[in-house]
Amino acid sequence: SVELFLNGKSLGSQKVVPLFPLSWKVRYVPGMLEARGSKNDKIVMTATRRTSGAPAKIVLTSDRDELSADGEDVAIIRVETVDKDGLPVPTADALIQFQVTGAGKLIGVGNGDPNCLQSDKDPKRSLFSGLATAILQTTKTPGSLVLVATSNGIEPTTLTLKTKQVKLRPVGV
């Protein structure tokens, strides 16, 4: 079974039925939701979600730290904002601007919004449901690839990735 708590107050417990989701009708109140999963009257899992505040900082996360300096390798960058306490802000829609220097370039941006009309090639993208993506591509020169993300009223951030020398593929073979 799973019992749901809002700010420490139980909203009831429901039995888990395989392949059927559990749901509660909960009126929005800032604070913390906690779900406690039990099996044989013993808590086996808990999950919490806290209400976030206004976006305070941009967070960039790469799918990897080191790339091949072959002019072809790419890194996918997750872009999100967090509040002053470090909690993700899933409602953020800030316009994030990107600047890339060093051993690479920005080749695309996205945010998953099927109605977004912003260019996938411009060095900026609005967050959708608090998230966006930037795609970086290496040059053939090893070194550091630096991405700076900025937005009005939000603390900017910098992500530095290493690009390493590799043997290039033969051309025209």
Side-chain angles (χ1 to χ4, degrees):
S1 67
V2 175
E3 186 171 11
L4 187 67
F5 293 84
L6 176 60
N7 294 328
K9 181 182 175 191
S10 176
L11 300 177
S13 181
Q14 295 184 24
K15 262 193 161 327
V16 174
V17 178
L19 304 177
F20 287 91
L22 302 177
S23 65
W24 285 260
K25 288 189 181 222
V26 180
R27 182 181 304 268
Y28 174 77
V29 175
M32 182 177 74
L33 270 177
E34 180 179 20
R36 296 180 190 162
S38 299
K39 189 172 187 175
N40 299 325
D41 295 324
K42 182 178 179 183
I43 295 176
V44 294
M45 183 179 163
T46 62
T48 59
R49 298 292 181 265
R50 295 182 189 277
T51 304
S52 59
K57 183 178 181 179
I58 300 169
V59 176
L60 301 174
T61 309
S62 177
D63 63 334
R64 53 217 182 110
D65 298 326
E66 189 173 76
L67 302 164
S68 297
D70 60 4
E72 298 176 6
D73 207 359
V74 297
I76 309 299
I77 311 301
R78 176 187 171 107
V79 183
E80 67 180 325
T81 56
V82 294
D83 68 7
K84 65 180 177 55
D85 297 320
L87 295 172
V89 184
T91 57
D93 60 359
L95 179 66
I96 308 294
Q97 293 151 350
F98 303 102
Q99 181 181 6
V100 177
T101 57
K105 62 184 177 181
L106 179 72
I107 62 168
V109 293
N111 65 9
D113 181 356
N115 297 312
C116 183
L117 300 175
Q118 296 168 335
S119 170
D120 293 336
K121 296 290 186 176
D122 280 348
K124 60 186 174 189
R125 181 53 68 123
S126 295
L127 298 175
F128 175 65
S129 296
L131 298 170
T133 299
I135 304 170
L136 307 178
Q137 185 175 37
T138 62
T139 62
K140 294 179 181 177
T141 306
S144 293
L145 191 165
V146 180
L147 173 64
V148 178
T150 59
S151 184
N152 290 337
I154 302 174
E155 183 182 332
T157 195
T158 300
L159 175 70
T160 302
L161 303 174
K162 293 180 182 178
T163 67
K164 65 180 177 182
Q165 184 71 48
V166 294
K167 183 177 179 182
L168 299 179
R169 291 190 301 156
V171 177
V173 176

Short mmCIF file of all heavy atoms in Angstrom, two decimals, residues 89-158:
data_model
loop_
_atom_site.label_atom_id
_atom_site.label_comp_id
_atom_site.label_asym_id
_atom_site.label_seq_id
_atom_site.Cartn_x
_atom_site.Cartn_y
_atom_site.Cartn_z
N VAL A 89 12.85 24.00 -10.39
CA VAL A 89 11.65 24.81 -10.55
C VAL A 89 10.93 24.31 -11.81
O VAL A 89 11.21 24.77 -12.92
CB VAL A 89 11.99 26.31 -10.66
CG1 VAL A 89 10.71 27.13 -10.73
CG2 VAL A 89 12.85 26.75 -9.49
N PRO A 90 9.99 23.36 -11.66
CA PRO A 90 9.36 22.74 -12.83
C PRO A 90 8.42 23.67 -13.60
O PRO A 90 8.02 23.34 -14.72
CB PRO A 90 8.60 21.55 -12.24
CG PRO A 90 8.35 21.92 -10.83
CD PRO A 90 9.51 22.77 -10.41
N THR A 91 8.09 24.82 -13.06
CA THR A 91 7.21 25.76 -13.74
C THR A 91 7.99 26.87 -14.44
O THR A 91 7.39 27.73 -15.09
CB THR A 91 6.23 26.40 -12.75
OG1 THR A 91 6.99 27.03 -11.70
CG2 THR A 91 5.29 25.36 -12.16
N ALA A 92 9.31 26.86 -14.35
CA ALA A 92 10.13 27.92 -14.94
C ALA A 92 10.01 27.93 -16.46
O ALA A 92 10.00 26.88 -17.10
CB ALA A 92 11.59 27.76 -14.53
N ASP A 93 9.93 29.13 -17.03
CA ASP A 93 9.88 29.29 -18.48
C ASP A 93 10.85 30.37 -18.95
O ASP A 93 10.67 30.96 -20.01
CB ASP A 93 8.46 29.60 -18.95
CG ASP A 93 7.91 30.89 -18.36
OD1 ASP A 93 8.62 31.56 -17.57
OD2 ASP A 93 6.77 31.25 -18.70
N ALA A 94 11.88 30.61 -18.18
CA ALA A 94 12.86 31.66 -18.48
C ALA A 94 13.55 31.44 -19.82
O ALA A 94 13.75 30.31 -20.25
CB ALA A 94 13.92 31.70 -17.37
N LEU A 95 13.91 32.54 -20.48
CA LEU A 95 14.69 32.48 -21.71
C LEU A 95 16.16 32.38 -21.32
O LEU A 95 16.69 33.27 -20.65
CB LEU A 95 14.45 33.73 -22.56
CG LEU A 95 15.24 33.78 -23.87
CD1 LEU A 95 14.78 32.67 -24.81
CD2 LEU A 95 15.07 35.14 -24.53
N ILE A 96 16.80 31.30 -21.72
CA ILE A 96 18.21 31.06 -21.40
C ILE A 96 19.03 31.38 -22.64
O ILE A 96 18.71 30.93 -23.74
CB ILE A 96 18.45 29.59 -20.98
CG1 ILE A 96 17.49 29.16 -19.87
CG2 ILE A 96 19.91 29.39 -20.57
CD1 ILE A 96 17.65 29.84 -18.55
N GLN A 97 20.10 32.16 -22.45
CA GLN A 97 21.00 32.50 -23.56
C GLN A 97 22.31 31.75 -23.36
O GLN A 97 22.81 31.65 -22.24
CB GLN A 97 21.21 34.01 -23.60
CG GLN A 97 19.92 34.72 -23.95
CD GLN A 97 19.80 36.12 -23.38
OE1 GLN A 97 20.58 36.53 -22.55
NE2 GLN A 97 18.78 36.82 -23.83
N PHE A 98 22.86 31.25 -24.47
CA PHE A 98 24.06 30.43 -24.42
C PHE A 98 25.20 31.10 -25.17
O PHE A 98 25.00 31.70 -26.22
CB PHE A 98 23.79 29.06 -25.06
CG PHE A 98 22.66 28.31 -24.43
CD1 PHE A 98 21.42 28.26 -25.05
CD2 PHE A 98 22.81 27.67 -23.22
CE1 PHE A 98 20.36 27.57 -24.49
CE2 PHE A 98 21.76 26.98 -22.64
CZ PHE A 98 20.53 26.93 -23.28
N GLN A 99 26.40 30.94 -24.60
CA GLN A 99 27.61 31.39 -25.27
C GLN A 99 28.64 30.27 -25.13
O GLN A 99 28.87 29.76 -24.03
CB GLN A 99 28.14 32.68 -24.65
CG GLN A 99 29.39 33.18 -25.33
CD GLN A 99 29.91 34.46 -24.68
OE1 GLN A 99 29.42 34.91 -23.67
NE2 GLN A 99 30.93 35.02 -25.29
N VAL A 100 29.24 29.88 -26.26
CA VAL A 100 30.22 28.80 -26.26
C VAL A 100 31.57 29.35 -26.72
O VAL A 100 31.65 30.07 -27.70
CB VAL A 100 29.79 27.65 -27.19
CG1 VAL A 100 30.85 26.55 -27.23
CG2 VAL A 100 28.46 27.08 -26.73
N THR A 101 32.61 29.01 -25.98
CA THR A 101 33.97 29.38 -26.36
C THR A 101 34.86 28.15 -26.25
O THR A 101 34.50 27.16 -25.62
CB THR A 101 34.53 30.50 -25.46
OG1 THR A 101 34.48 30.07 -24.09
CG2 THR A 101 33.74 31.80 -25.62
N GLY A 102 36.03 28.24 -26.87
CA GLY A 102 37.00 27.15 -26.77
C GLY A 102 36.83 26.13 -27.88
O GLY A 102 36.50 26.47 -29.01
N ALA A 103 37.02 24.87 -27.53
CA ALA A 103 37.14 23.78 -28.49
C ALA A 103 35.79 23.18 -28.89
O ALA A 103 35.61 21.97 -28.91
CB ALA A 103 38.04 22.70 -27.91
N GLY A 104 34.81 24.04 -29.22
CA GLY A 104 33.53 23.52 -29.65
C GLY A 104 32.57 24.62 -30.05
O GLY A 104 32.91 25.81 -30.04
N LYS A 105 31.35 24.20 -30.41
CA LYS A 105 30.34 25.16 -30.81
C LYS A 105 28.96 24.62 -30.43
O LYS A 105 28.78 23.42 -30.21
CB LYS A 105 30.40 25.41 -32.32
CG LYS A 105 30.15 24.18 -33.16
CD LYS A 105 30.33 24.47 -34.64
CE LYS A 105 30.13 23.18 -35.46
NZ LYS A 105 30.31 23.41 -36.87
N LEU A 106 27.99 25.53 -30.37
CA LEU A 106 26.60 25.18 -30.10
C LEU A 106 25.97 24.82 -31.45
O LEU A 106 26.01 25.62 -32.38
CB LEU A 106 25.87 26.36 -29.47
CG LEU A 106 24.40 26.17 -29.14
CD1 LEU A 106 24.24 25.24 -27.94
CD2 LEU A 106 23.74 27.51 -28.84
N ILE A 107 25.42 23.62 -31.56
CA ILE A 107 24.80 23.23 -32.84
C ILE A 107 23.28 23.11 -32.76
O ILE A 107 22.63 22.95 -33.78
CB ILE A 107 25.40 21.94 -33.41
CG1 ILE A 107 25.15 20.75 -32.48
CG2 ILE A 107 26.87 22.12 -33.73
CD1 ILE A 107 25.47 19.40 -33.11
N GLY A 108 22.71 23.19 -31.55
CA GLY A 108 21.26 23.12 -31.44
C GLY A 108 20.77 23.29 -30.04
O GLY A 108 21.51 23.13 -29.07
N VAL A 109 19.49 23.69 -29.94
CA VAL A 109 18.81 23.84 -28.66
C VAL A 109 17.41 23.26 -28.78
O VAL A 109 16.89 23.11 -29.89
CB VAL A 109 18.73 25.32 -28.22
CG1 VAL A 109 20.11 25.88 -27.92
CG2 VAL A 109 18.02 26.17 -29.27
N GLY A 110 16.80 22.94 -27.68
CA GLY A 110 15.43 22.43 -27.69
C GLY A 110 14.84 22.51 -26.30
O GLY A 110 15.54 22.80 -25.33
N ASN A 111 13.52 22.26 -26.21
CA ASN A 111 12.89 22.28 -24.90
C ASN A 111 11.72 21.30 -24.78
O ASN A 111 11.06 21.24 -23.76
CB ASN A 111 12.44 23.69 -24.50
CG ASN A 111 11.36 24.25 -25.40
OD1 ASN A 111 10.79 23.56 -26.25
ND2 ASN A 111 11.05 25.52 -25.22
N GLY A 112 11.42 20.55 -25.82
CA GLY A 112 10.36 19.55 -25.76
C GLY A 112 8.96 20.10 -25.93
O GLY A 112 8.00 19.33 -25.92
N ASP A 113 8.81 21.42 -26.11
CA ASP A 113 7.49 22.02 -26.29
C ASP A 113 7.09 21.91 -27.76
O ASP A 113 7.69 22.55 -28.62
CB ASP A 113 7.53 23.48 -25.86
CG ASP A 113 6.18 24.17 -25.99
OD1 ASP A 113 5.21 23.56 -26.48
OD2 ASP A 113 6.10 25.35 -25.58
N PRO A 114 6.06 21.11 -28.09
CA PRO A 114 5.68 20.95 -29.49
C PRO A 114 5.12 22.23 -30.11
O PRO A 114 5.04 22.35 -31.33
CB PRO A 114 4.62 19.85 -29.45
CG PRO A 114 4.08 19.88 -28.07
CD PRO A 114 5.21 20.34 -27.19
N ASN A 115 4.75 23.21 -29.29
CA ASN A 115 4.22 24.47 -29.79
C ASN A 115 5.25 25.59 -29.82
O ASN A 115 4.92 26.72 -30.17
CB ASN A 115 3.02 24.91 -28.95
CG ASN A 115 1.88 23.91 -29.05
OD1 ASN A 115 1.50 23.50 -30.13
ND2 ASN A 115 1.36 23.50 -27.91
N CYS A 116 6.49 25.30 -29.45
CA CYS A 116 7.53 26.32 -29.41
C CYS A 116 7.95 26.68 -30.84
O CYS A 116 8.26 25.81 -31.65
CB CYS A 116 8.74 25.81 -28.63
SG CYS A 116 10.05 27.03 -28.47
N LEU A 117 7.96 27.97 -31.13
CA LEU A 117 8.33 28.44 -32.46
C LEU A 117 9.74 29.04 -32.50
O LEU A 117 10.15 29.59 -33.52
CB LEU A 117 7.31 29.48 -32.95
CG LEU A 117 5.87 28.96 -33.07
CD1 LEU A 117 4.93 30.08 -33.45
CD2 LEU A 117 5.79 27.81 -34.05
N GLN A 118 10.49 28.92 -31.40
CA GLN A 118 11.85 29.43 -31.37
C GLN A 118 12.75 28.56 -32.24
O GLN A 118 12.56 27.35 -32.34
CB GLN A 118 12.38 29.46 -29.93
CG GLN A 118 11.60 30.40 -29.03
CD GLN A 118 11.95 30.21 -27.56
OE1 GLN A 118 12.37 29.15 -27.13
NE2 GLN A 118 11.75 31.26 -26.79
N SER A 119 13.75 29.19 -32.85
CA SER A 119 14.68 28.47 -33.71
C SER A 119 15.51 27.47 -32.93
O SER A 119 15.97 27.74 -31.82
CB SER A 119 15.62 29.47 -34.40
OG SER A 119 16.66 28.78 -35.06
N ASP A 120 15.72 26.31 -33.53
CA ASP A 120 16.55 25.28 -32.92
C ASP A 120 18.03 25.57 -33.09
O ASP A 120 18.88 24.84 -32.57
CB ASP A 120 16.25 23.91 -33.54
CG ASP A 120 14.85 23.42 -33.22
OD1 ASP A 120 14.28 23.86 -32.21
OD2 ASP A 120 14.32 22.59 -33.99
N LYS A 121 18.36 26.64 -33.82
CA LYS A 121 19.76 26.99 -34.08
C LYS A 121 20.20 28.26 -33.36
O LYS A 121 21.39 28.54 -33.28
CB LYS A 121 20.00 27.17 -35.59
CG LYS A 121 19.79 25.89 -36.38
CD LYS A 121 20.90 24.90 -36.07
CE LYS A 121 20.82 23.68 -36.94
NZ LYS A 121 21.91 22.77 -36.72
N ASP A 122 19.26 29.06 -32.86
CA ASP A 122 19.63 30.29 -32.14
C ASP A 122 20.31 29.94 -30.82
O ASP A 122 20.00 28.91 -30.22
CB ASP A 122 18.40 31.15 -31.85
CG ASP A 122 17.95 31.96 -33.04
OD1 ASP A 122 18.71 32.05 -34.02
OD2 ASP A 122 16.84 32.52 -32.98
N PRO A 123 21.20 30.81 -30.34
CA PRO A 123 21.88 30.53 -29.07
C PRO A 123 21.03 30.92 -27.86
O PRO A 123 21.52 31.47 -26.88
CB PRO A 123 23.14 31.39 -29.17
CG PRO A 123 22.72 32.54 -30.01
CD PRO A 123 21.75 31.99 -31.01
N LYS A 124 19.73 30.63 -27.92
CA LYS A 124 18.84 30.89 -26.79
C LYS A 124 17.63 29.99 -26.90
O LYS A 124 17.25 29.55 -27.99
CB LYS A 124 18.41 32.36 -26.79
CG LYS A 124 17.67 32.78 -28.04
CD LYS A 124 17.40 34.27 -28.06
CE LYS A 124 16.79 34.65 -29.41
NZ LYS A 124 16.71 36.06 -29.56
N ARG A 125 17.02 29.69 -25.74
CA ARG A 125 15.82 28.85 -25.72
C ARG A 125 15.10 29.07 -24.40
O ARG A 125 15.72 29.13 -23.34
CB ARG A 125 16.20 27.38 -25.86
CG ARG A 125 15.04 26.41 -25.89
CD ARG A 125 13.97 26.71 -26.93
NE ARG A 125 14.43 26.52 -28.26
CZ ARG A 125 13.87 25.72 -29.15
NH1 ARG A 125 12.80 25.02 -28.83
NH2 ARG A 125 14.35 25.62 -30.35
N SER A 126 13.78 29.14 -24.46
CA SER A 126 12.96 29.21 -23.26
C SER A 126 12.85 27.83 -22.64
O SER A 126 12.79 26.82 -23.35
CB SER A 126 11.56 29.71 -23.60
OG SER A 126 11.60 31.03 -24.07
N LEU A 127 12.79 27.79 -21.32
CA LEU A 127 12.56 26.54 -20.63
C LEU A 127 11.10 26.14 -20.82
O LEU A 127 10.22 27.00 -20.94
CB LEU A 127 12.83 26.69 -19.13
CG LEU A 127 14.25 27.07 -18.72
CD1 LEU A 127 14.31 27.30 -17.22
CD2 LEU A 127 15.24 26.01 -19.14
N PHE A 128 10.84 24.85 -20.88
CA PHE A 128 9.48 24.32 -20.95
C PHE A 128 9.37 23.29 -19.84
O PHE A 128 10.17 22.36 -19.76
CB PHE A 128 9.23 23.68 -22.32
CG PHE A 128 7.89 23.01 -22.43
CD1 PHE A 128 6.72 23.75 -22.36
CD2 PHE A 128 7.80 21.64 -22.61
CE1 PHE A 128 5.48 23.13 -22.47
CE2 PHE A 128 6.57 21.01 -22.73
CZ PHE A 128 5.40 21.76 -22.66
N SER A 129 8.41 23.49 -18.95
CA SER A 129 8.28 22.64 -17.75
C SER A 129 9.59 22.62 -16.99
O SER A 129 10.00 21.61 -16.44
CB SER A 129 7.83 21.24 -18.12
OG SER A 129 6.53 21.27 -18.68
N GLY A 130 10.28 23.76 -17.01
CA GLY A 130 11.51 23.92 -16.26
C GLY A 130 12.77 23.39 -16.91
O GLY A 130 13.83 23.41 -16.30
N LEU A 131 12.68 22.89 -18.16
CA LEU A 131 13.83 22.25 -18.79
C LEU A 131 14.08 22.72 -20.21
O LEU A 131 13.16 23.16 -20.90
CB LEU A 131 13.62 20.73 -18.84
CG LEU A 131 13.48 20.00 -17.51
CD1 LEU A 131 13.03 18.57 -17.74
CD2 LEU A 131 14.78 20.05 -16.74
N ALA A 132 15.32 22.60 -20.63
CA ALA A 132 15.73 22.82 -22.01
C ALA A 132 16.97 21.96 -22.26
O ALA A 132 17.53 21.37 -21.33
CB ALA A 132 16.02 24.29 -22.29
N THR A 133 17.40 21.94 -23.52
CA THR A 133 18.57 21.17 -23.91
C THR A 133 19.44 22.01 -24.83
O THR A 133 18.93 22.75 -25.66
CB THR A 133 18.16 19.88 -24.67
OG1 THR A 133 17.35 19.09 -23.81
CG2 THR A 133 19.35 19.08 -25.12
N ALA A 134 20.74 21.88 -24.66
CA ALA A 134 21.71 22.49 -25.58
C ALA A 134 22.60 21.35 -26.10
O ALA A 134 22.96 20.45 -25.34
CB ALA A 134 22.55 23.55 -24.89
N ILE A 135 22.94 21.41 -27.38
CA ILE A 135 23.80 20.38 -27.97
C ILE A 135 25.08 21.04 -28.43
O ILE A 135 25.06 22.01 -29.20
CB ILE A 135 23.10 19.68 -29.15
CG1 ILE A 135 21.77 19.09 -28.69
CG2 ILE A 135 24.01 18.59 -29.73
CD1 ILE A 135 20.90 18.58 -29.82
N LEU A 136 26.21 20.54 -27.92
CA LEU A 136 27.52 21.09 -28.25
C LEU A 136 28.28 20.10 -29.12
O LEU A 136 28.17 18.88 -28.94
CB LEU A 136 28.32 21.34 -26.97
CG LEU A 136 27.66 22.20 -25.89
CD1 LEU A 136 28.56 22.31 -24.68
CD2 LEU A 136 27.30 23.57 -26.44
N GLN A 137 29.07 20.64 -30.06
CA GLN A 137 29.90 19.80 -30.92
C GLN A 137 31.35 20.25 -30.82
O GLN A 137 31.63 21.45 -30.75
CB GLN A 137 29.44 19.88 -32.37
CG GLN A 137 30.18 18.94 -33.30
CD GLN A 137 29.61 18.97 -34.70
OE1 GLN A 137 29.21 20.01 -35.20
NE2 GLN A 137 29.57 17.82 -35.33
N THR A 138 32.26 19.30 -30.82
CA THR A 138 33.68 19.61 -30.69
C THR A 138 34.26 20.14 -31.99
O THR A 138 33.69 19.97 -33.06
CB THR A 138 34.48 18.36 -30.29
OG1 THR A 138 34.37 17.38 -31.31
CG2 THR A 138 34.01 17.80 -28.96
N THR A 139 35.43 20.76 -31.87
CA THR A 139 36.26 21.08 -33.03
C THR A 139 37.31 19.98 -33.11
O THR A 139 37.28 19.03 -32.33
CB THR A 139 36.95 22.46 -32.87
OG1 THR A 139 37.82 22.39 -31.73
CG2 THR A 139 35.94 23.57 -32.69
N LYS A 140 38.27 20.14 -34.01
CA LYS A 140 39.35 19.15 -34.13
C LYS A 140 40.56 19.52 -33.28
O LYS A 140 41.58 18.87 -33.33
CB LYS A 140 39.75 18.98 -35.59
CG LYS A 140 38.64 18.38 -36.43
CD LYS A 140 39.04 18.24 -37.87
CE LYS A 140 37.89 17.64 -38.67
NZ LYS A 140 38.19 17.54 -40.10
N THR A 141 40.40 20.57 -32.47
CA THR A 141 41.48 21.02 -31.59
C THR A 141 41.17 20.63 -30.15
O THR A 141 40.12 21.00 -29.63
CB THR A 141 41.64 22.55 -31.68
OG1 THR A 141 41.82 22.92 -33.04
CG2 THR A 141 42.81 23.03 -30.84
N PRO A 142 42.04 19.86 -29.50
CA PRO A 142 41.78 19.48 -28.10
C PRO A 142 41.89 20.68 -27.18
O PRO A 142 42.56 21.66 -27.49
CB PRO A 142 42.86 18.44 -27.81
CG PRO A 142 43.93 18.68 -28.80
CD PRO A 142 43.29 19.30 -30.01
N GLY A 143 41.21 20.60 -26.06
CA GLY A 143 41.26 21.68 -25.07
C GLY A 143 39.99 21.70 -24.25
O GLY A 143 39.39 20.67 -23.98
N SER A 144 39.57 22.90 -23.88
CA SER A 144 38.37 23.07 -23.08
C SER A 144 37.25 23.66 -23.92
O SER A 144 37.46 24.59 -24.69
CB SER A 144 38.64 23.99 -21.89
OG SER A 144 39.53 23.39 -21.00
N LEU A 145 36.07 23.10 -23.75
CA LEU A 145 34.86 23.60 -24.39
C LEU A 145 34.04 24.22 -23.26
O LEU A 145 33.70 23.53 -22.30
CB LEU A 145 34.12 22.44 -25.04
CG LEU A 145 32.97 22.71 -25.99
CD1 LEU A 145 32.64 21.47 -26.78
CD2 LEU A 145 31.78 23.28 -25.35
N VAL A 146 33.75 25.52 -23.35
CA VAL A 146 33.11 26.24 -22.26
C VAL A 146 31.74 26.74 -22.69
O VAL A 146 31.62 27.44 -23.70
CB VAL A 146 33.99 27.42 -21.78
CG1 VAL A 146 33.32 28.16 -20.64
CG2 VAL A 146 35.37 26.93 -21.37
N LEU A 147 30.71 26.39 -21.92
CA LEU A 147 29.35 26.85 -22.15
C LEU A 147 28.94 27.75 -20.99
O LEU A 147 29.03 27.36 -19.83
CB LEU A 147 28.38 25.66 -22.23
CG LEU A 147 26.89 26.00 -22.30
CD1 LEU A 147 26.55 26.76 -23.59
CD2 LEU A 147 26.05 24.72 -22.19
N VAL A 148 28.50 28.98 -21.32
CA VAL A 148 27.99 29.91 -20.32
C VAL A 148 26.50 30.10 -20.60
O VAL A 148 26.11 30.37 -21.74
CB VAL A 148 28.72 31.27 -20.38
CG1 VAL A 148 28.13 32.24 -19.37
CG2 VAL A 148 30.21 31.09 -20.14
N ALA A 149 25.66 29.95 -19.57
CA ALA A 149 24.22 30.12 -19.70
C ALA A 149 23.79 31.28 -18.82
O ALA A 149 24.14 31.33 -17.64
CB ALA A 149 23.49 28.85 -19.31
N THR A 150 23.03 32.22 -19.40
CA THR A 150 22.57 33.39 -18.65
C THR A 150 21.07 33.60 -18.89
O THR A 150 20.52 33.15 -19.89
CB THR A 150 23.32 34.67 -19.09
OG1 THR A 150 23.11 34.87 -20.49
CG2 THR A 150 24.81 34.56 -18.82
N SER A 151 20.45 34.32 -17.97
CA SER A 151 19.05 34.70 -18.09
C SER A 151 18.81 35.88 -17.15
O SER A 151 19.44 35.97 -16.09
CB SER A 151 18.13 33.54 -17.70
OG SER A 151 16.77 33.89 -17.90
N ASN A 152 17.91 36.78 -17.54
CA ASN A 152 17.63 37.95 -16.71
C ASN A 152 17.13 37.56 -15.32
O ASN A 152 16.20 36.76 -15.19
CB ASN A 152 16.56 38.84 -17.38
CG ASN A 152 17.10 39.53 -18.62
OD1 ASN A 152 18.29 39.71 -18.77
ND2 ASN A 152 16.20 39.89 -19.51
N GLY A 153 17.77 38.10 -14.30
CA GLY A 153 17.35 37.89 -12.93
C GLY A 153 17.72 36.55 -12.32
O GLY A 153 17.31 36.25 -11.21
N ILE A 154 18.46 35.72 -13.05
CA ILE A 154 18.85 34.40 -12.56
C ILE A 154 20.37 34.30 -12.60
O ILE A 154 21.00 34.73 -13.57
CB ILE A 154 18.23 33.28 -13.42
CG1 ILE A 154 16.70 33.39 -13.42
CG2 ILE A 154 18.66 31.91 -12.91
CD1 ILE A 154 16.02 32.42 -14.35
N GLU A 155 20.95 33.74 -11.54
CA GLU A 155 22.41 33.59 -11.49
C GLU A 155 22.89 32.71 -12.65
O GLU A 155 22.40 31.60 -12.85
CB GLU A 155 22.80 32.94 -10.16
CG GLU A 155 24.29 32.80 -9.96
CD GLU A 155 24.64 32.12 -8.64
OE1 GLU A 155 23.87 32.23 -7.68
OE2 GLU A 155 25.71 31.48 -8.60
N PRO A 156 23.84 33.22 -13.45
CA PRO A 156 24.35 32.44 -14.59
C PRO A 156 25.23 31.29 -14.12
O PRO A 156 25.59 31.20 -12.94
CB PRO A 156 25.16 33.46 -15.38
CG PRO A 156 25.58 34.46 -14.36
CD PRO A 156 24.49 34.51 -13.34
N THR A 157 25.57 30.43 -15.04
CA THR A 157 26.47 29.32 -14.72
C THR A 157 27.35 28.98 -15.91
O THR A 157 27.01 29.31 -17.05
CB THR A 157 25.68 28.08 -14.25
OG1 THR A 157 26.57 27.16 -13.63
CG2 THR A 157 24.99 27.39 -15.40
N THR A 158 28.45 28.33 -15.61
CA THR A 158 29.41 27.93 -16.63
C THR A 158 29.68 26.43 -16.51
O THR A 158 29.81 25.91 -15.39
CB THR A 158 30.74 28.70 -16.46
OG1 THR A 158 30.48 30.09 -16.57
CG2 THR A 158 31.76 28.29 -17.50
#
